[in-house]
Amino acid sequence: MSLDSVGAFFAAHAPDIEVIVTQSSSATVTLAAEAHGVLPAQIAKTICLRVGERTMLVVTSGIARLDNRKFKDQFGGKPRMLDAQEVVAATSHPVGGVCPFGLPAPLPVYCDVSLREFAEVVPAAGATNAAVRIAPQRMVELTGAEWVDVCQGSE
């Protein structure tokens, strides 16, 4: 179902982007980088977080780590990662396949500036063995995301 919703999203909004389904799992940054022949930093990992009552998606470089101070300054609170069931309830995507595309209901999406150094990144596409290749700015435009600086060592 989740892979279908992502496929439908791209069919409607960006038919030139192909959802790539691999035989092997791409559920972790390392596995995804191997499956798609890119650097781990080019994997666009999507983290489902809650701050107070707000649920949001933050997309970062595969090797980036959230900086709690920057995050708190940006969003006014400490981030709490959702558990696997909460992630599926919020996104319809399983952990390892979470992405900002094909969501059942709108969620705020934020893309960390750590993605800007790449011409192309590889986010998951709703399944633990699916992804897309996309320019970071195009991902921002398609998802209505906002650029933020919430990771360690960026800008």
Side-chain angles (χ1 to χ4, degrees), residues 3 19-28 31-32 35-36 94-98 123-132:
L3 180 58
V19 175
I20 305 160
V21 178
T22 58
Q23 291 298 318
S24 57
S25 172
S26 54
T28 67
L31 291 173
H36 297 284
V95 172
V98 178
T128 58
N129 66 334
V132 295

Side-chain angles (χ1 to χ4, degrees), residues 2-132:
S2 182
L3 180 58
D4 293 340
S5 70
V6 173
F9 174 88
F10 282 107
H13 302 287
D16 58 306
I17 296 177
E18 175 190 359
V19 175
I20 305 160
V21 178
T22 58
Q23 291 298 318
S24 57
S25 172
S26 54
T28 67
V29 169
T30 302
L31 291 173
E34 289 172 6
H36 297 284
V38 297
L39 297 170
Q42 283 180 271
I43 300 302
K45 66 181 174 185
T46 304
I47 309 165
C48 194
L49 300 166
R50 186 167 290 138
V51 178
E53 295 302 310
R54 292 182 301 162
T55 300
M56 65 183 69
L57 298 177
V58 177
V59 187
T60 73
S61 164
I63 61 170
R65 296 181 56 96
L66 287 179
D67 180 304
N68 285 329
R69 169 55 48 207
K70 286 182 177 181
F71 191 95
K72 189 172 182 182
D73 290 348
Q74 177 75 43
F75 296 107
K78 185 177 177 184
R80 181 180 75 80
M81 289 187 71
L82 276 63
D83 68 29
Q85 287 181 315
E86 292 171 315
V87 169
V88 171
T91 67
S92 80
H93 307 321
V95 172
V98 178
C99 63
F101 317 111
L103 302 172
L107 282 174
V109 177
Y110 301 93
C111 288
D112 185 72
V113 295
S114 59
L115 297 170
R116 281 186 169 160
E117 70 179 274
F118 301 103
E120 181 179 76
V121 293
V122 183
T128 58
N129 66 334
V132 295

